Amino acid sequence: MVDLVGWVDDKLRRAFARASLPVEGVRSVPATRPEFGDFQCNAAMALGKAAKRNPRDLAAAVAETLRADPDFASVEVAGPGFLNLRLADGFVAGLAREQAASPTLGIVQTGGAPVLLDFGGANVAKPLHVGHLRSLVIGESLSRIFQAQGLETVSDVHFGDWGLQMGMLIGAIRRAHPGRAPGTVGEVIGIDEMQRLYPEAAAACKADPGRMAEARALTAALQGGDAEARADWAALRATSFADQKGDFDRLGAHFDLYLGESDVQATVDRLVPDLMARGVAERDDGAVVIAVAEPSDTKQIPPLMLEKSDGAATYGTTDLATIADRPDNAESRHCGRYVYVVDERQSLHFTQVFRAARRAGLAPGVAFTHVGFGTVNGLDGKPYKTREGGVARLRDLLDEAVAKARERVDASDPDVDAEELAQQVGLAAVKWADLSTGRLGGYVFNLERMMSFEGNTGPYVQYACVRIGAIAARAKAAGAEASAIALGHPAERALAMACLGLPNAVEAAAAGAAPNEIAGFAFAVAQSFSRFYTECPVLAAGEDERAARLALCELAFAVLSRALWMLGIAVPRRM
Ligand code: ARG
């Protein structure tokens, strides 16, 4: 029973009931100032108003019951009828000991079906750019948050590997290597040439209808099963994959499935006629669409296009076909939720796709969620660009962060792999900046700020872990052992209270698909630890106090490293 907030709310409700008051809406909030105690409850105000009674009287009746409970150190009625609650130190210490002994650190294991996460979503043949950063780090973090709740997750990258861009590129490669037979051209192309040819090909097709017609024909050939087109495509997909996989691995983004739009071609071929036959899809001006508008819509939701008038499938078709396939795939068969971590600008697309899936009866019983996010911006507040005004490559951005980290970290320790450390710190800075803000707002990519060892940054929280680790190492060397947590000093109590926030942070993060809840929690623990560190000597304390403080340090280290794990951030040994 480490669920502190749930416990307090329960006590409150009982006390309200005892005073013959309704309990609905009775809950606690964290106290706004430490001198008010640990928690506050404002329910008496609303109840007093409804019952036309003085809220202070209601609050006083509740306070009387709560005061009889030895787990509260004080219960006060303040102002017009606020209840200020302070828990007894012994009670907090007991909870902290329970948390320390719990393998999940008190995180509630929810149980339930596995969750499928669709994120990454890179298009083949292009290098990953800054826009992919958010999907990758948020998607990976959500996957870990669900795992921390004991849920199984299945992650699928859903490559964009089947559209017109493939025909454009195959055409461009064949032109660039006129001596080679079609079907063998993909083999000779390296990643650099591919990434150079791709934008050239796109521009050429835009400017020249002949080139565009060629690209369309090649795309149709590829999708129609032409062996040469398919061989060239497979080779360039493999080259692109190897390149992008390097970035996924470096970011620690793990995928169970590397499927893509190409994997559902056969499903698309049978799904569209099937939906038409069932009357779910219909012809509209030569195209095939599914109407998805609903009477309660406040803005117009256009139909989902399944087939353009030229017969080509769309982005929506492949997403719908993917939903049709997932219940049959061994890996995703049992998933009860599909979570799509994709740019907020695609929210209409997902509304259409999810509604179309419902109408078509695909993946019955599955809950669909689109987890959107805002853009990464430059210092000017506009979407991030390179100095030359181009799209920033993800790799360059990460390299820059790691280079900055290399300047800051202490490489003098012979036991530390300086390069590994620079990678850990640089990536922590980038991930923290991304995950610590609400995902729907954009944020400014300010390397200087995110790299600071002070303030709300990844390196600051990593550094807190390193300092705790150093205390533990010195204690071990001195033969000092931890005992059980006991709380005497206010800074000890504050640190224990901060640690006890973990279960709530995880619950809020999972419910709102909000990794920033975890970051906010970790930052609060790191700050509480800083204060504890300055005010409470550990190794220099007397034997009993030292042992109890070591135990508290162990708990702080455990919750902080678990939180950083959920954010995909490494805990370095030294810094
Ligand atoms: N490839 C898409 C794009 O670049 C993103 C894919 C997101 N996932 C999905 N299931 N639609 O916009």
Side-chain angles (χ1 to χ4, degrees), residues 6 32 76 142 285 304 410 514 568:
T32 47
E76 277 157 25
L142 289 179
D285 226 356
L304 179 73
D410 176 11

Side-chain angles (χ1 to χ4, degrees), residues 403-434:
K404 272 247 151 47
R406 217 173 271 131
E407 293 165 12
R408 308 259 164 113
V409 298
D410 176 11
S412 61
D413 189 328
D415 289 342
V416 174
D417 179 339
E419 191 43 39
E420 186 190 2
L421 180 56
Q423 293 283 343
Q424 290 177 329
V425 173
L427 290 173
V430 171
K431 291 182 185 180
W432 185 276
D434 197 294

Side-chain angles (χ1 to χ4, degrees), residues 140-141 144 251-252 427-428 431 435 563-570:
E140 178 64 26
S141 176
R144 291 174 181 224
L251 271 176
L427 290 173
K431 291 182 185 180
L435 295 171
L564 288 181
W565 180 82
M566 282 186 263
L567 299 173
I569 292 177

Side-chain angles (χ1 to χ4, degrees), residues 126-205:
K126 285 202 265 189
L128 298 184
H129 55 79
V130 55
H132 292 111
L133 176 68
R134 301 216 69 188
S135 179
L136 289 167
V137 300
I138 297 170
E140 178 64 26
S141 176
L142 289 179
S143 169
R144 291 174 181 224
I145 289 165
F146 292 135
Q147 288 172 41
Q149 295 185 303
L151 291 169
E152 235 180 274
T153 63
V154 177
S155 47
D156 180 3
V157 72
H158 198 77
F159 281 125
D161 61 356
W162 204 234
L164 181 60
Q165 79 270 24
M166 294 292 103
M168 289 178 176
L169 186 59
I170 294 170
I173 302 172
R174 288 186 183 175
R175 277 162 186 274
H177 297 271
R180 296 210 42 123
T184 68
V185 176
E187 294 162 16
V188 294
I189 190 167
I191 186 70
D192 293 332
E193 186 182 5
M194 185 161 87
Q195 292 177 353
R196 182 171 54 73
L197 283 177
Y198 180 84
E200 278 175 26
C205 289

Side-chain angles (χ1 to χ4, degrees), residues 118 121 123 158 315 319 340 342 346 350:
D118 180 314
N123 289 336
H158 198 77
Y315 181 43
D319 259 328
Y340 294 76
V342 184
Q346 294 195 21
F350 285 105

Side-chain angles (χ1 to χ4, degrees), residues 105 144 461 465 468 502 521-522 525 554-571:
L105 295 169
R144 291 174 181 224
V461 178
C465 283
I468 310 176
L502 179 66
F521 160 79
V525 174
E554 280 177 8
L555 174 62
F557 187 81
V559 298
L560 269 184
S561 23
R562 189 77 52 103
L564 288 181
W565 180 82
M566 282 186 263
L567 299 173
I569 292 177
V571 178

Side-chain angles (χ1 to χ4, degrees), residues 101-119:
S102 154
T104 68
L105 295 169
I107 299 169
V108 179
Q109 303 298 287
T110 53
V115 182
L116 182 130
L117 292 118
D118 180 314
F119 67 100

